Amino acid sequence: MIRVTENLATISDLLAFSAVEAGREPDAVKLLAVSKKQPLAKILAARDAGQRDFGENFVQEGVEKIAKTRDKDLIWHFIGHLQNNKTRVVAENFDWVHTIDKLKTARRLSEQRPTSLDPLNICLQVNIDNEDVKSGITVDEVPELAAACDALPNLNLRGLMCLPIAREELSLQRIPFAKLRALADILRSAGIDTDTLSMGMSGDYRAAILEGATIVRIGTAIFGERN
Ligand SMILES: *Cc1c(COP(=O)(O)O)cnc(C)c1O
């Protein structure tokens, strides 16, 4: 369990170092601890070490963890593929959804978000490398879906998310991240201001941070191998 604390400290240092390398503030990048398939005890250990943001891919698993940590003041991010028949429980329990790729899903989340809660924070998932197998909208679809989501009352459009093809070389890793950042600039010039680029994982966080990532999503490097 001590390892979670040490891993978090190491990763936080690396993120801060990359941010400074990019000419940004050391705390400019938020670490999202991806806790899917990890036991509650490790989440609680991370919380004790100061980690507040956690990411889950599976609705049922996430909701169970949320229910068991109500008193811990955690922030829960849904980062998996969201089916339309599961939107209600996500709208009622999570704080963020990073994987919006359909207006219908966004509409349901807005309708189902309890008004007693803050608006649900959302990011649009962009299929930045145009992969057949990956979910997400195409680059061309971003402005229209962003405008439509921006108009929904119980959602807060925070930005864009991507999951590029794994590449080894830093210069190649930067290309899709730069593309995502350029998309956010296009939205801004269309009057849609966002503050979030959810991009970068264990193998490519440095490239993502150099291109402006504000949230990086890291799992196994914090918690170890998944069950
Ligand atoms: C699982 C997952 C991660 C974290 O992956 P690790 O290899 O555990 O660091 C990040 N983003 C998404 C969308 C994921 O599904």
Side-chain angles (χ1 to χ4, degrees):
M1 216 49 87
I2 287 181
R3 238 187 27 215
V4 169
T5 307
E6 288 173 344
N7 292 345
L8 271 173
T10 304
I11 291 162
S12 299
D13 282 352
L14 291 170
L15 299 187
F17 188 86
S18 295
V20 170
E21 182 188 5
R24 305 170 61 195
E25 294 298 320
D27 63 354
V29 183
K30 190 199 295 284
L31 172 60
L32 177 54
V34 178
S35 48
K36 63 176 176 229
K37 306 274 183 198
Q38 300 285 358
L40 196 63
K42 288 190 178 176
I43 293 172
L44 296 176
R47 175 65 182 110
D48 286 344
Q51 178 65 30
R52 287 190 67 212
D53 290 86
F54 293 88
E56 290 284 335
N57 291 59
F58 307 101
V59 174
Q60 193 52 40
E61 180 189 347
V63 168
E64 282 168 23
K65 288 171 173 168
I66 291 169
K68 289 176 182 153
T69 55
R70 289 257 180 245
D71 58 336
K72 301 289 182 195
D73 201 23
L74 305 184
I75 302 166
W76 289 96
H77 300 242
F78 187 77
I79 61 171
H81 181 67
L82 181 53
Q83 293 166 288
N84 274 326
N85 61 353
K86 302 220 172 124
T87 50
R88 181 175 297 279
V89 66
V90 169
E92 289 175 350
N93 287 278
F94 280 84
D95 303 294
W96 285 72
V97 175
H98 289 229
T99 48
I100 299 295
D101 62 359
K102 285 188 195 67
L103 181 55
K104 184 173 179 191
T105 312
R107 281 206 183 111
R108 289 175 65 97
L109 288 169
S110 182
E111 281 162 17
Q112 294 165 347
R113 180 69 168 174
T115 48
S116 57
L117 300 177
D118 288 339
L120 182 66
N121 298 295
I122 63 161
C123 293
L124 307 185
Q125 182 174 358
V126 183
N127 185 352
I128 202 76
D129 285 319
N130 268 315
E131 294 172 86
D132 289 341
V133 293
K134 225 164 251 176
S135 33
I137 54 175
T138 64
V139 165
D140 294 341
E141 290 168 330
V142 170
E144 194 180 333
L145 184 58
C149 289
D150 202 32
L152 292 171
N154 300 317
L155 302 185
N156 186 1
L157 176 66
R158 298 294 298 269
L160 304 174
M161 177 271 208
C162 72
L163 200 75
I165 296 170
R167 298 173 174 91
E168 291 291 323
E169 222 183 296
L170 182 78
S171 61
L172 297 180
Q173 290 176 346
R174 290 181 68 158
I175 295 169
F177 296 137
K179 244 198 236 178
L180 201 72
R181 189 191 50 186
L183 277 171
D185 293 340
I186 289 171
L187 292 182
R188 191 163 304 117
S189 56
I192 300 174
D193 265 315
T194 59
D195 62 8
T196 299
L197 290 172
S198 169
M199 58 188 198
M201 307 186 6
S202 308
D204 56 12
Y205 69 84
R206 184 168 161 236
I209 291 170
L210 288 171
E211 295 299 344
T214 63
I215 298 181
V216 299
R217 308 176 308 264
I218 294 181
T220 38
I222 300 170
F223 297 113
E225 290 302 319
R226 285 181 271 275
N227 293 334

